[in-house]
Amino acid sequence: GLNPKKIEPSMPQSHALQVARQEMVFVQYSSILGGSKARGPRKMTVVIPRVQANGERKKCLTLNPEAEGLAQLAKLSPPHDEAIESFQNKPPKWNEQIGAFVLNFNKRVTQASVKNFQLTASEDSDTVCLQFGRVGKDEFNMDFRFPMSPFQAFAISLSSFDYKLCCE
């Protein structure tokens, strides 16, 4: 689909919505500790369109994503919209023995990194739906489960490489 900002304003809205690209995922980072400099782990919020009972994913089509898209739906408090599913990263715990924040990746992640994360659904904080972490110098593991698609899981994981998302 086309970027909604690049669709001709003169195009009829019904046709414009047909050619606009779908929003598949919204990712937002913020500093857990606050302040102007991001120190320690980041807080991650992810929103995806909900998978319906028939197995099809709801489509998120809009000509104004900033005002009507997944970003706006993510701001609902609490986010119980039937059109979306929300996820948060599992907050790591401070380990005094090693002097670092840690998460249990069940041996799937072997090296510490600010990019390591685990996402859990807002309704079920015990079930990890996506985990991503470093296993070598330039090697990472990604594990995901329903309702994430491979595309969404990969896109969310790639977002962890942009250090500017939370550090500016």
Side-chain angles (χ1 to χ4, degrees), residues 27-31 36-43 113-116 132 134 156-168:
V27 181
Q28 181 179 38
Y29 288 92
S30 58
S31 176
S36 60
K37 291 202 175 202
R39 290 198 171 105
R42 301 180 286 186
K43 181 178 181 208
S113 173
V114 69
K115 297 169 185 71
N116 298 352
F132 179 77
R134 184 184 296 271
I156 294 163
S157 298
L158 280 179
S159 76
S160 73
F161 285 90
D162 191 348
Y163 71 93
K164 293 179 183 176
L165 288 175
C166 182
C167 300
E168 286 187 346

Side-chain angles (χ1 to χ4, degrees), residues 18 24 31 40 44 46 51 57 72 77 84 87 111 122 127 133-134 136 141-142 145 161:
Q18 289 177 347
M24 298 297 293
S31 176
M44 187 177 186
V46 173
V51 176
R57 190 169 301 281
Q72 277 304 108
S77 187
I84 62 170
F87 303 87
Q111 294 186 359
S122 298
T127 303
R134 184 184 296 271
N141 276 347
M142 176 185 80
R145 64 184 303 165
F161 285 90

